[in-house]
Amino acid sequence: MKHKPAYPSSNTQLPNRPGMALLVVVVLTMLIALGAYRFSFYMESQYRLTRLQEEQVQAKLASLSGIELAASIAELSTAERASMGGLYDNPALRQVAVEATTDVASGSEQTNTSWRFGLVSPVASDIGETKTGSSRALSTSEPSNFRFGFENESAKLHMPTLLEWERKLPGHARASLLALPGATEQLVDSWLQGLGVAKQRGGATGGSSLMDRLEATRENGDTESDADQLKSMWYGGDLNQNYRLDPLEARLSEQLFNQQQGGPRSSAKTLSATSVTTSTALPPAWQRFVTWHSGARNQTRNGQPRINLNEANLQSLHQKMISVWPTDWANFVIAMRQHGPATSAPVTNAATPETTETPSPDFSKPASYTFQSPLDLVGAVVQMAVTNPQPSAGGKTNVTPKRLRNPFSSDLSEVRNYLGRVLDASTTDPSPFTTGRVDVSEASAVVLSCVPGIDPALAQRIDQQRASNSGTSSTDPRDTIAWLLDGGTVDLAKLKTIEPYITSRNDVYSVQSVGYRDNLSPVYRCTATIDARQIPAQIRNHQIWHPWDRGFTMDQLNSSSQ
């Protein structure tokens, strides 16, 4: 029996399937197209991501360029800053271009203004409102409150210096901080305890004394709650640092405000925007009144080192003084260093005049007197033994004590002509810079009233005189503290009392730099403190704020006025 093969032979014809190859090709082509599309989409998304990261870096570099520009400006002298328009509100600090391209054909540099930065700070109204005791309204509709310029850190209370004042005047630090808008005893005591200052027990005046911070213990209060309230008070509710209260900030601020006032402690998530009204008031930010960095270079307005009136080498001191002062000024300073101020009236007679011109210095006589302040020169009485060229009847040399004519008269009309020049050029501090003195040319009345020797009434008078733009000193009215004598705001005795605590100079500033291009490109915002007490300037407290939001619109940043 013949069996059939299990498989068809090679001669067997398979069924005809027309178009199968074409179908396979179409499927393969579709798969390849889908792969190519996926690859194209992935590459396009990666390109966009790369471009976004590149633009973020460019925005960052633009913002950091602003910080570097701020540092270079802070290194300038007071006169150079004034010549460029000042630092408070300067249009030149708006829309500063940071890119430049070179035309290869011509070799010329052409400015590309696509990436820019602006240097912004809060406007003075944030501080000025507190001068009359009012506080900022909690409103979500108020405009951006900023200017193109720097913020003066020396116009604030320097915390390390405030604690130094505490050692001399127990209770002064606590009283000063309680003067801040919205301050409470619990918040101030909590802050001071963290700094190593504890409330004095049994004190009738509520004073405080310094103690080691390791021994400081908390008596009451919720640490976490106090920390939240301190942070809110420090920023004034402006958590994203765009110098206005946004809706979310307003809701959070209202919650903390209600807690401080003992109101309902509802969750921030349950507070609606309609619950925020303009009748709810919040105090201004404490960072407008308190700082951790403050000071100024010990230089003249033109950037030259000041003359130390207490220099040991009297001949060198005399040479420095005659290079900037009249010779009679320099001679009198040397005479005062050698003989000191008179403690009693000089002996005179009818034949001998009471006063005489200061003779040329005898540098062989050492110094015996140390100035406490250049103000010691004003109205000082110096007497010295002057040899009469005519011998006495017995042939002995006639030596008569005489009072030297003081070119630094105490007459107010004459003081106005020379005191600014004296304070600008001379000092009694040999340090290259000063730290912690309050700049009375810009400090608010709240800060001024915290300076030892200045009560709230005097602080208001200083503020009013400053607002009237008065001053008649020989240099710029605000370059030295001499303008305080004008108009009778303070007398010479009061000026000598407060002089160790005040100044009219500053070389430490804070500023926010915003790097931007347009509404669609990323924005980089950062704040920093520029410490130019020594050159090169140091950049401190660098903080970034753009992760919160853009902060400012392009119209605000491009506007010529705010």
Side-chain angles (χ1 to χ4, degrees):
M1 183 176 179
K2 187 176 182 181
H3 296 281
K4 293 182 179 180
Y7 300 95
S9 63
S10 58
N11 296 327
T12 305
Q13 294 183 352
L14 296 176
N16 188 15
R17 298 179 179 179
M20 179 60 69
L22 179 61
L23 178 61
V24 172
V25 171
V26 170
V27 170
L28 292 176
T29 302
M30 180 181 64
L31 294 176
I32 293 174
L34 289 174
Y37 176 77
R38 176 180 177 84
F39 177 79
S40 175
F41 177 80
Y42 176 79
M43 294 304 296
E44 183 179 0
S45 63
Q46 290 298 309
Y47 171 77
R48 291 178 177 177
L49 180 61
T50 302
R51 286 291 300 169
L52 176 61
Q53 292 175 341
E54 178 184 359
E55 291 179 350
Q56 288 175 338
V57 172
Q58 289 174 328
K60 177 180 179 179
L61 293 178
S63 178
L64 296 182
S65 296
I67 298 296
E68 291 297 329
L69 175 64
S72 64
I73 292 176
E75 293 176 354
L76 300 176
S77 67
T78 303
E80 290 172 327
R81 296 173 194 163
S83 66
M84 61 169 290
L87 302 185
Y88 179 77
D89 192 3
N90 191 339
L93 303 178
R94 173 181 59 88
Q95 295 190 58
V96 181
V98 296
E99 288 186 352
T101 57
T102 302
D103 188 344
V104 179
S106 62
S108 62
E109 189 177 82
Q110 298 178 346
T111 301
N112 183 346
T113 59
S114 59
W115 285 102
R116 304 180 292 276
F117 66 81
L119 299 178
V120 300
S121 296
V123 297
S125 59
D126 281 354
I127 298 176
E129 288 175 354
T130 64
K131 297 177 182 179
T132 58
S134 62
S135 56
R136 183 175 55 185
L138 177 58
S139 171
T140 59
S141 60
E142 65 181 41
S144 296
N145 206 11
F146 72 94
R147 56 188 166 81
F148 295 98
F150 295 23
E151 186 174 9
N152 186 342
E153 291 297 296
S154 291
K156 307 174 184 179
L157 288 175
H158 184 232
M159 277 301 297
T161 301
L162 184 61
L163 298 182
E164 289 291 335
W165 295 349
E166 174 71 19
R167 293 188 175 91
K168 301 177 181 178
L169 305 168
H172 184 80
R174 187 170 185 268
S176 298
L177 295 179
L178 284 174
L180 298 180
T184 63
E185 292 188 357
Q186 180 179 346
L187 285 178
V188 170
D189 289 341
S190 176
W191 193 7
L192 289 177
Q193 284 174 344
L195 297 174
V197 183
K199 185 176 180 180
Q200 188 177 36
R201 295 170 177 81
T205 61
S208 61
S209 59
L210 286 177
M211 62 179 295
D212 189 276
R213 71 172 59 194
L214 297 177
E215 297 178 359
T217 57
R218 297 195 53 81
E219 298 178 355
N220 51 41
D222 183 359
T223 304
E224 183 177 356
S225 176
D226 289 346
D228 291 340
Q229 292 184 15
L230 282 170
K231 182 180 293 185
S232 175
M233 300 300 290
W234 182 260
Y235 291 112
D238 182 20
L239 301 180
N240 66 346
Q241 291 296 279
N242 65 345
Y243 312 126
R244 61 169 293 170
L245 284 176
D246 300 316
L248 176 60
E249 295 171 339
R251 291 194 292 269
L252 294 175
S253 297
E254 184 188 31
Q255 180 194 27
L256 288 175
F257 180 82
N258 289 334
Q259 291 180 7
Q260 295 170 15
Q261 301 299 320
R265 299 193 176 195
S266 57
S267 171
K269 296 181 180 179
T270 63
L271 291 172
S272 63
T274 57
S275 66
V276 180
T277 64
T278 57
S279 62
T280 304
L282 285 177
W286 282 8
Q287 63 176 333
R288 305 279 87 85
F289 306 95
V290 181
T291 184
W292 292 93
H293 301 282
S294 171
R297 296 189 293 269
N298 207 354
Q299 295 180 348
T300 67
R301 183 176 187 270
N302 295 321
Q304 299 301 316
R306 282 193 174 108
I307 301 171
N308 180 13
L309 298 180
N310 292 326
E311 182 178 342
N313 190 329
L314 297 183
Q315 187 170 5
S316 173
L317 172 61
H318 188 265
Q319 292 175 349
K320 293 177 182 178
M321 288 189 294
I322 61 177
S323 65
V324 295
W325 287 351
T327 303
D328 59 333
W329 290 18
N331 291 346
F332 185 84
V333 171
I334 298 300
M336 192 167 177
R337 285 290 310 280
Q338 292 176 331
H339 302 280
T343 57
S344 60
V347 178
T348 61
N349 52 54
T352 305
E354 183 181 2
T355 61
T356 184
E357 294 294 332
T358 306
S360 298
D362 178 10
F363 297 112
S364 63
K365 181 177 177 59
S368 61
Y369 175 76
T370 301
F371 286 98
Q372 299 301 313
S373 165
L375 294 174
D376 294 342
L377 289 168
V378 181
V381 177
V382 176
Q383 70 178 36
M384 61 181 295
V386 178
T387 302
N388 194 326
Q390 299 296 330
S392 62
K396 296 182 179 180
T397 303
N398 188 2
V399 179
T400 306
K402 293 184 179 181
R403 187 173 68 185
L404 303 182
R405 189 187 69 83
N406 186 352
F408 306 101
S409 170
S410 58
D411 183 78
L412 184 58
S413 61
E414 296 187 24
V415 170
R416 290 173 174 172
N417 294 327
Y418 72 78
L419 187 56
R421 184 177 175 185
V422 170
L423 293 177
D424 179 60
S426 64
T427 182
T428 57
D429 187 353
S431 303
F433 56 85
T434 60
T435 301
R437 294 194 177 202
V438 174
D439 186 353
V440 293
S441 64
E442 292 189 32
S444 67
V446 173
V447 173
L448 290 174
S449 63
C450 298
V451 175
I454 300 181
D455 56 24
L458 178 56
Q460 289 293 339
R461 292 201 303 271
I462 294 175
D463 188 28
Q464 292 170 1
Q465 180 189 351
R466 182 176 52 195
S468 67
N469 198 28
S470 61
T472 56
S473 60
S474 57
T475 60
D476 186 273
R478 297 295 179 262
D479 276 347
T480 70
I481 62 174
W483 61 273
L484 291 174
L485 287 174
D486 296 343
T489 305
V490 299
D491 56 20
L492 182 60
K494 172 59 75 172
L495 189 61
K496 286 184 177 180
T497 301
I498 64 177
E499 187 272 338
Y501 308 105
I502 61 175
T503 183
S504 279
R505 299 286 174 79
N506 174 53
D507 290 306
V508 182
Y509 295 91
S510 60
V511 69
Q512 179 171 173
S513 179
V514 184
Y516 65 98
R517 183 173 64 182
D518 51 44
N519 286 317
L520 301 179
S521 301
V523 167
Y524 189 97
R525 296 195 295 124
C526 66
T527 56
T529 300
I530 312 298
D531 187 349
R533 290 175 296 173
Q534 292 180 310
I535 298 177
Q538 300 296 314
I539 299 175
R540 309 181 186 277
N541 298 336
H542 184 275
Q543 294 178 291
I544 59 174
W545 303 99
H546 60 276
W548 286 80
D549 53 28
R550 298 177 69 90
F552 308 96
T553 66
M554 293 300 103
D555 291 339
Q556 292 172 332
L557 293 175
N558 295 331
S559 175
S560 59
S561 62
Q562 291 295 328

